[in-house]
Amino acid sequence: MSGRPLKYNSVETMQEDIDKYFADCDEKGKPYTVSGLAYALNTTRRTLLDYEEKDEYSHTIKSAKAKIE
């Protein structure tokens, strides 16, 4: 990522927001999508890919994407 600081300083905080996204979708009967996840995290699909490339966030993002699939 270029000079911008990361929104998430910990995997745990990111995971909490991911869990909230899935719970909200379940409650409203909405499908899971990568775009929806990015929006819920107040970021973009590109930024999710950037996080996925970082060792400490990789498993968290890959797990979320697997659940979306």
Coordinates of all heavy atoms in Angstrom, one line a residue:
M1 N 0.8 -1.2 0.0 CA 0.0 0.0 0.0 C 0.9 1.2 0.0 O 1.9 1.3 0.7 CB -0.9 0.0 1.2 CG -1.9 -1.1 1.2 SD -2.6 -1.3 2.9 CE -4.1 -0.6 2.8
S2 N 0.5 2.2 -0.7 CA 1.3 3.4 -0.7 C 1.0 4.2 0.6 O 0.1 3.9 1.3 CB 0.9 4.3 -2.0 OG -0.4 4.6 -2.0
G3 N 1.7 5.2 0.9 CA 1.8 6.0 2.1 C 0.6 6.1 3.0 O 0.8 6.6 4.1
R4 N -0.6 5.6 2.7 CA -1.7 5.7 3.6 C -1.6 4.7 4.7 O -1.2 3.6 4.5 CB -3.0 5.5 2.8 CG -3.3 6.5 1.8 CD -4.7 6.3 1.2 NE -5.7 6.6 2.2 CZ -6.9 6.3 2.0 NH1 -7.4 5.7 0.9 NH2 -7.8 6.5 3.0
P5 N -2.0 5.2 5.9 CA -1.9 4.2 7.1 C -3.1 3.2 6.9 O -4.1 3.5 6.3 CB -2.1 5.1 8.3 CG -2.8 6.4 7.7 CD -2.4 6.5 6.3
L6 N -2.9 2.1 7.5 CA -3.9 1.0 7.5 C -5.1 1.5 8.4 O -4.9 2.1 9.5 CB -3.3 -0.3 8.0 CG -2.3 -1.0 7.2 CD1 -1.7 -2.2 8.0 CD2 -2.8 -1.4 5.9
K7 N -6.3 1.1 8.0 CA -7.4 1.4 8.8 C -7.4 0.5 10.0 O -7.8 0.9 11.1 CB -8.7 1.2 8.0 CG -10.0 1.4 8.8 CD -11.2 1.1 8.1 CE -12.4 1.2 9.1 NZ -13.7 1.1 8.6
Y8 N -7.0 -0.7 9.8 CA -7.1 -1.7 10.9 C -5.7 -1.9 11.5 O -4.7 -2.2 10.7 CB -7.6 -3.1 10.4 CG -9.1 -3.0 10.1 CD1 -9.6 -2.8 8.9 CD2 -10.0 -3.0 11.2 CE1 -10.9 -2.7 8.6 CE2 -11.4 -2.9 10.9 CZ -11.8 -2.8 9.6 OH -13.2 -2.7 9.4
N9 N -5.5 -1.7 12.8 CA -4.2 -1.9 13.4 C -4.1 -3.3 14.0 O -3.1 -3.6 14.6 CB -4.1 -0.8 14.5 CG -3.9 0.6 13.9 OD1 -3.3 0.8 12.9 ND2 -4.6 1.5 14.5
S10 N -5.2 -4.0 14.0 CA -5.2 -5.4 14.5 C -6.1 -6.3 13.8 O -7.2 -5.9 13.3 CB -5.5 -5.4 16.0 OG -6.9 -5.3 16.2
V11 N -5.7 -7.5 13.7 CA -6.5 -8.6 13.0 C -7.8 -8.7 13.8 O -8.9 -8.9 13.2 CB -5.7 -9.9 12.9 CG1 -6.6 -11.0 12.3 CG2 -4.5 -9.7 12.1
E12 N -7.8 -8.7 15.1 CA -8.9 -8.9 15.9 C -10.0 -7.8 15.6 O -11.2 -8.2 15.5 CB -8.6 -8.8 17.4 CG -7.7 -10.0 17.9 CD -6.2 -9.8 17.5 OE1 -5.8 -8.6 17.2 OE2 -5.5 -10.8 17.5
T13 N -9.6 -6.6 15.5 CA -10.6 -5.5 15.2 C -11.2 -5.8 13.8 O -12.4 -5.6 13.6 CB -9.9 -4.2 15.2 OG1 -9.4 -4.0 16.5 CG2 -10.9 -3.0 15.0
M14 N -10.4 -6.1 12.8 CA -10.9 -6.4 11.5 C -11.9 -7.6 11.5 O -13.0 -7.6 10.9 CB -9.8 -6.7 10.5 CG -10.3 -7.1 9.1 SD -8.9 -7.6 8.0 CE -8.7 -6.0 7.3
Q15 N -11.5 -8.7 12.3 CA -12.4 -9.8 12.4 C -13.7 -9.5 13.0 O -14.8 -10.0 12.5 CB -11.7 -11.0 13.2 CG -12.5 -12.3 13.2 CD -12.6 -12.9 11.8 OE1 -11.6 -13.1 11.2 NE2 -13.8 -13.1 11.3
E16 N -13.7 -8.6 14.0 CA -15.0 -8.2 14.6 C -15.9 -7.5 13.6 O -17.1 -7.8 13.5 CB -14.7 -7.2 15.7 CG -14.2 -7.8 17.0 CD -13.8 -6.8 18.0 OE1 -14.1 -5.6 17.9 OE2 -13.1 -7.2 19.0
D17 N -15.3 -6.7 12.7 CA -16.1 -6.0 11.7 C -16.6 -7.0 10.6 O -17.7 -6.9 10.1 CB -15.3 -4.8 11.1 CG -15.3 -3.7 12.0 OD1 -16.0 -3.6 13.1 OD2 -14.5 -2.7 11.7
I18 N -15.7 -7.9 10.3 CA -16.1 -9.0 9.3 C -17.3 -9.8 9.9 O -18.3 -10.0 9.2 CB -14.9 -9.9 9.0 CG1 -13.9 -9.1 8.1 CG2 -15.4 -11.1 8.2 CD1 -12.6 -9.8 7.9
D19 N -17.2 -10.2 11.1 CA -18.3 -10.9 11.8 C -19.6 -10.1 11.8 O -20.7 -10.7 11.6 CB -17.9 -11.3 13.2 CG -16.8 -12.4 13.2 OD1 -16.5 -13.0 12.2 OD2 -16.1 -12.5 14.3
K20 N -19.5 -8.8 12.0 CA -20.7 -8.0 12.0 C -21.3 -7.9 10.6 O -22.5 -7.9 10.5 CB -20.3 -6.5 12.5 CG -20.0 -6.4 13.9 CD -19.6 -4.9 14.2 CE -19.1 -4.8 15.6 NZ -18.5 -3.5 15.9
Y21 N -20.5 -7.9 9.6 CA -21.0 -7.9 8.2 C -21.8 -9.2 8.0 O -22.9 -9.1 7.5 CB -19.8 -7.8 7.2 CG -20.2 -8.1 5.8 CD1 -21.1 -7.3 5.1 CD2 -19.8 -9.3 5.2 CE1 -21.5 -7.6 3.8 CE2 -20.2 -9.7 3.9 CZ -21.0 -8.8 3.2 OH -21.5 -9.1 2.0
F22 N -21.2 -10.3 8.3 CA -21.9 -11.6 8.1 C -23.2 -11.7 8.9 O -24.2 -12.1 8.4 CB -21.0 -12.8 8.3 CG -19.9 -13.0 7.3 CD1 -18.6 -13.1 7.7 CD2 -20.2 -13.0 6.0 CE1 -17.6 -13.3 6.8 CE2 -19.2 -13.2 5.0 CZ -17.9 -13.4 5.4
A23 N -23.2 -11.2 10.1 CA -24.4 -11.3 11.0 C -25.5 -10.3 10.4 O -26.6 -10.7 10.4 CB -24.0 -10.8 12.4
D24 N -25.0 -9.2 9.9 CA -26.0 -8.2 9.3 C -26.6 -8.8 8.1 O -27.9 -8.7 7.9 CB -25.3 -6.9 9.0 CG -26.3 -5.8 8.5 OD1 -27.2 -5.5 9.3 OD2 -26.1 -5.3 7.4
C25 N -25.8 -9.5 7.2 CA -26.4 -10.1 6.0 C -27.4 -11.2 6.4 O -28.4 -11.3 5.8 CB -25.2 -10.7 5.2 SG -24.3 -9.5 4.3
D26 N -27.0 -12.0 7.4 CA -27.9 -13.1 7.8 C -29.2 -12.5 8.4 O -30.3 -13.0 8.0 CB -27.2 -13.9 8.9 CG -26.1 -14.8 8.4 OD1 -25.9 -14.9 7.2 OD2 -25.2 -15.2 9.2
E27 N -29.1 -11.5 9.1 CA -30.3 -10.9 9.7 C -31.3 -10.3 8.7 O -32.5 -10.4 8.8 CB -29.9 -9.8 10.7 CG -31.0 -9.1 11.5 CD -30.5 -8.1 12.4 OE1 -29.6 -8.4 13.2 OE2 -31.0 -6.9 12.3
K28 N -30.7 -9.7 7.6 CA -31.5 -9.1 6.6 C -31.7 -10.0 5.4 O -32.4 -9.6 4.4 CB -30.8 -7.8 6.1 CG -30.7 -6.8 7.2 CD -29.9 -5.5 6.7 CE -29.9 -4.5 7.8 NZ -29.0 -3.3 7.5
G29 N -31.2 -11.2 5.4 CA -31.4 -12.2 4.3 C -30.7 -11.7 3.0 O -31.1 -12.1 2.0
K30 N -29.6 -11.0 3.2 CA -28.8 -10.6 2.0 C -27.7 -11.6 1.8 O -27.1 -12.1 2.7 CB -28.2 -9.2 2.3 CG -29.3 -8.1 2.4 CD -28.6 -6.8 2.5 CE -29.6 -5.6 2.5 NZ -29.0 -4.3 2.5
P31 N -27.3 -11.7 0.5 CA -26.2 -12.6 0.2 C -24.8 -11.9 0.6 O -24.7 -10.7 0.6 CB -26.3 -12.7 -1.4 CG -26.9 -11.5 -1.8 CD -27.9 -11.1 -0.7
Y32 N -23.9 -12.8 0.8 CA -22.5 -12.3 1.1 C -21.8 -11.9 -0.2 O -21.9 -12.7 -1.2 CB -21.7 -13.4 1.8 CG -22.2 -14.0 3.0 CD1 -21.9 -15.3 3.4 CD2 -23.0 -13.3 3.9 CE1 -22.3 -15.9 4.5 CE2 -23.5 -13.8 5.1 CZ -23.1 -15.1 5.4 OH -23.6 -15.7 6.5
T33 N -21.1 -10.8 -0.3 CA -20.4 -10.5 -1.5 C -19.1 -9.8 -1.0 O -19.0 -9.2 0.0 CB -21.1 -9.5 -2.4 OG1 -21.3 -8.2 -1.7 CG2 -22.5 -10.0 -2.9
V34 N -18.0 -9.9 -1.9 CA -16.8 -9.3 -1.6 C -17.0 -7.8 -1.6 O -16.4 -7.1 -0.7 CB -15.7 -9.7 -2.6 CG1 -14.4 -8.9 -2.3 CG2 -15.4 -11.2 -2.5
S35 N -17.7 -7.3 -2.5 CA -18.0 -5.8 -2.6 C -18.7 -5.4 -1.3 O -18.4 -4.3 -0.8 CB -18.8 -5.5 -3.8 OG -18.1 -5.7 -5.0
G36 N -19.7 -6.2 -0.9 CA -20.4 -5.8 0.3 C -19.5 -5.9 1.6 O -19.6 -5.0 2.4
L37 N -18.6 -6.8 1.6 CA -17.6 -6.9 2.7 C -16.8 -5.6 2.7 O -16.6 -5.0 3.7 CB -16.8 -8.2 2.6 CG -15.7 -8.3 3.6 CD1 -16.2 -8.3 5.0 CD2 -14.8 -9.5 3.3
A38 N -16.2 -5.3 1.5 CA -15.4 -4.1 1.4 C -16.1 -2.9 1.9 O -15.6 -2.1 2.6 CB -14.9 -3.9 0.0
Y39 N -17.4 -2.7 1.5 CA -18.2 -1.6 1.9 C -18.4 -1.6 3.4 O -18.3 -0.5 4.0 CB -19.5 -1.6 1.1 CG -20.4 -0.4 1.4 CD1 -20.2 0.8 0.8 CD2 -21.5 -0.5 2.4 CE1 -21.0 1.9 1.1 CE2 -22.3 0.6 2.7 CZ -22.0 1.8 2.0 OH -22.8 2.9 2.3
A40 N -18.7 -2.7 3.9 CA -18.9 -2.8 5.4 C -17.7 -2.5 6.2 O -17.8 -1.9 7.3 CB -19.4 -4.2 5.8
L41 N -16.5 -2.7 5.6 CA -15.2 -2.4 6.2 C -14.8 -1.0 5.9 O -13.7 -0.6 6.3 CB -14.2 -3.4 5.8 CG -14.4 -4.9 6.2 CD1 -13.3 -5.8 5.7 CD2 -14.6 -5.0 7.7
N42 N -15.6 -0.3 5.2 CA -15.4 1.1 4.8 C -14.0 1.2 4.0 O -13.2 2.0 4.2 CB -15.3 2.0 6.0 CG -15.4 3.5 5.6 OD1 -16.0 3.8 4.6 ND2 -14.8 4.3 6.4
T43 N -13.9 0.3 3.0 CA -12.7 0.2 2.2 C -13.1 -0.2 0.8 O -14.3 -0.2 0.4 CB -11.7 -0.8 2.9 OG1 -10.5 -0.6 2.2 CG2 -12.2 -2.2 2.9
T44 N -12.2 -0.6 0.0 CA -12.4 -1.0 -1.4 C -12.0 -2.5 -1.6 O -11.2 -3.0 -0.8 CB -11.7 -0.2 -2.4 OG1 -10.2 -0.4 -2.2 CG2 -12.0 1.3 -2.3
R45 N -12.4 -3.1 -2.7 CA -11.9 -4.4 -3.0 C -10.4 -4.4 -3.2 O -9.8 -5.4 -2.8 CB -12.6 -4.9 -4.3 CG -14.1 -5.2 -4.2 CD -14.7 -5.5 -5.5 NE -14.1 -6.6 -6.2 CZ -14.7 -7.9 -6.2 NH1 -15.8 -8.1 -5.6 NH2 -14.1 -8.8 -6.8
R46 N -9.9 -3.4 -3.8 CA -8.4 -3.3 -3.9 C -7.7 -3.3 -2.6 O -6.7 -4.0 -2.4 CB -8.1 -2.0 -4.7 CG -6.6 -1.8 -4.9 CD -5.9 -2.8 -5.8 NE -4.9 -3.4 -5.1 CZ -4.3 -4.6 -5.5 NH1 -4.6 -5.1 -6.6 NH2 -3.3 -5.1 -4.8
T47 N -8.2 -2.5 -1.6 CA -7.6 -2.5 -0.3 C -7.7 -3.8 0.4 O -6.8 -4.3 1.1 CB -8.3 -1.4 0.5 OG1 -8.1 -0.1 -0.1 CG2 -7.7 -1.3 1.9
L48 N -8.8 -4.6 0.2 CA -8.9 -5.9 0.7 C -7.8 -6.8 0.2 O -7.1 -7.6 0.9 CB -10.2 -6.6 0.4 CG -11.4 -6.1 1.2 CD1 -12.7 -6.9 0.8 CD2 -11.2 -6.2 2.7
L49 N -7.5 -6.7 -1.1 CA -6.4 -7.4 -1.7 C -5.0 -7.0 -1.1 O -4.2 -7.9 -0.9 CB -6.3 -7.2 -3.2 CG -7.5 -7.8 -4.0 CD1 -7.4 -7.4 -5.5 CD2 -7.5 -9.3 -3.9
D50 N -4.9 -5.7 -0.9 CA -3.7 -5.2 -0.2 C -3.5 -5.9 1.2 O -2.4 -6.3 1.6 CB -3.6 -3.7 -0.1 CG -3.5 -3.0 -1.4 OD1 -3.0 -3.7 -2.4 OD2 -3.8 -1.8 -1.5
Y51 N -4.6 -5.9 1.9 CA -4.6 -6.5 3.3 C -4.2 -8.0 3.1 O -3.5 -8.6 3.9 CB -5.9 -6.4 4.0 CG -6.0 -5.1 4.8 CD1 -6.9 -4.1 4.4 CD2 -5.4 -5.0 6.0 CE1 -7.0 -2.9 5.2 CE2 -5.5 -3.8 6.8 CZ -6.3 -2.8 6.4 OH -6.5 -1.7 7.1
E52 N -4.8 -8.6 2.1 CA -4.6 -10.1 1.9 C -3.1 -10.4 1.7 O -2.7 -11.5 2.0 CB -5.5 -10.6 0.8 CG -5.5 -12.1 0.6 CD -6.5 -12.5 -0.4 OE1 -7.3 -11.7 -0.9 OE2 -6.5 -13.7 -0.8
E53 N -2.4 -9.5 1.1 CA -1.0 -9.7 0.9 C -0.1 -9.5 2.1 O 1.0 -9.9 2.1 CB -0.5 -8.7 -0.2 CG -1.1 -9.0 -1.6 CD -0.8 -7.9 -2.6 OE1 0.0 -7.0 -2.3 OE2 -1.4 -8.0 -3.7
K54 N -0.7 -9.0 3.2 CA 0.1 -8.8 4.4 C -0.1 -10.1 5.3 O -1.2 -10.5 5.5 CB -0.5 -7.6 5.2 CG -0.2 -6.3 4.5 CD -0.6 -5.1 5.3 CE -0.1 -3.8 4.7 NZ 1.3 -3.7 4.6
D55 N 1.0 -10.6 5.7 CA 1.0 -11.9 6.4 C 0.0 -11.9 7.6 O -0.8 -12.9 7.7 CB 2.4 -12.2 7.0 CG 3.4 -12.6 5.9 OD1 2.9 -13.0 4.8 OD2 4.6 -12.5 6.1
E56 N 0.0 -10.9 8.4 CA -0.9 -10.9 9.6 C -2.4 -10.9 9.3 O -3.2 -11.3 10.1 CB -0.5 -9.8 10.6 CG -0.7 -8.4 10.1 CD 0.5 -7.8 9.4 OE1 1.2 -8.5 8.7 OE2 0.6 -6.6 9.5
Y57 N -2.8 -10.4 8.1 CA -4.2 -10.3 7.7 C -4.6 -11.3 6.7 O -5.8 -11.5 6.4 CB -4.5 -8.9 7.1 CG -4.3 -7.8 8.1 CD1 -3.1 -7.1 8.3 CD2 -5.4 -7.4 9.0 CE1 -3.0 -6.0 9.2 CE2 -5.2 -6.4 9.9 CZ -4.0 -5.7 10.0 OH -3.9 -4.7 10.9
S58 N -3.7 -12.0 6.1 CA -3.9 -12.9 5.0 C -5.0 -13.9 5.3 O -6.0 -14.1 4.6 CB -2.6 -13.5 4.5 OG -2.9 -14.4 3.4
H59 N -4.8 -14.6 6.4 CA -5.7 -15.7 6.8 C -7.1 -15.2 7.0 O -8.1 -15.8 6.6 CB -5.2 -16.5 8.0 CG -6.2 -17.5 8.5 ND1 -6.3 -18.7 7.9 CD2 -7.0 -17.5 9.6 CE1 -7.3 -19.4 8.5 NE2 -7.7 -18.7 9.5
T60 N -7.2 -14.0 7.7 CA -8.5 -13.4 8.0 C -9.3 -13.1 6.7 O -10.5 -13.4 6.6 CB -8.3 -12.1 8.8 OG1 -7.6 -12.5 10.0 CG2 -9.6 -11.5 9.2
I61 N -8.6 -12.5 5.8 CA -9.3 -12.1 4.5 C -9.6 -13.3 3.7 O -10.7 -13.4 3.1 CB -8.4 -11.1 3.7 CG1 -8.2 -9.8 4.4 CG2 -9.0 -10.9 2.3 CD1 -9.4 -9.0 4.7
K62 N -8.7 -14.3 3.6 CA -9.0 -15.5 2.8 C -10.1 -16.3 3.4 O -10.9 -16.8 2.7 CB -7.7 -16.4 2.8 CG -6.7 -15.8 1.8 CD -5.4 -16.6 1.8 CE -4.4 -16.0 0.8 NZ -3.1 -16.8 0.8
S63 N -10.2 -16.3 4.7 CA -11.3 -17.0 5.4 C -12.7 -16.4 5.1 O -13.7 -17.0 4.8 CB -11.1 -17.1 6.9 OG -10.0 -17.9 7.2
A64 N -12.7 -15.0 5.1 CA -13.9 -14.3 4.8 C -14.3 -14.5 3.4 O -15.5 -14.8 3.1 CB -13.7 -12.8 5.1
K65 N -13.3 -14.5 2.4 CA -13.7 -14.8 1.0 C -14.2 -16.2 0.8 O -15.1 -16.4 0.0 CB -12.4 -14.5 0.2 CG -12.1 -13.0 0.0 CD -10.9 -12.9 -1.0 CE -10.7 -11.5 -1.4 NZ -9.5 -11.4 -2.3
A66 N -13.6 -17.1 1.5 CA -14.1 -18.5 1.4 C -15.5 -18.6 1.9 O -16.3 -19.3 1.3 CB -13.2 -19.4 2.2
K67 N -15.8 -17.9 3.0 CA -17.2 -18.0 3.4 C -18.2 -17.3 2.4 O -19.3 -17.8 2.2 CB -17.3 -17.2 4.8 CG -18.7 -17.3 5.4 CD -18.7 -16.8 6.8 CE -20.1 -16.9 7.5 NZ -20.0 -16.7 8.9
I68 N -17.7 -16.3 1.7 CA -18.5 -15.6 0.7 C -18.8 -16.6 -0.5 O -19.9 -16.6 -1.0 CB -17.8 -14.3 0.2 CG1 -17.9 -13.3 1.3 CG2 -18.5 -13.8 -1.1 CD1 -17.0 -12.1 1.1
E69 N -17.8 -17.4 -0.8 CA -17.9 -18.3 -1.9 C -18.9 -19.4 -1.5 O -19.6 -19.9 -2.3 CB -16.6 -18.9 -2.3 CG -15.6 -18.0 -2.9 CD -14.3 -18.6 -3.2 OE1 -14.1 -19.8 -3.0 OE2 -13.4 -17.9 -3.7

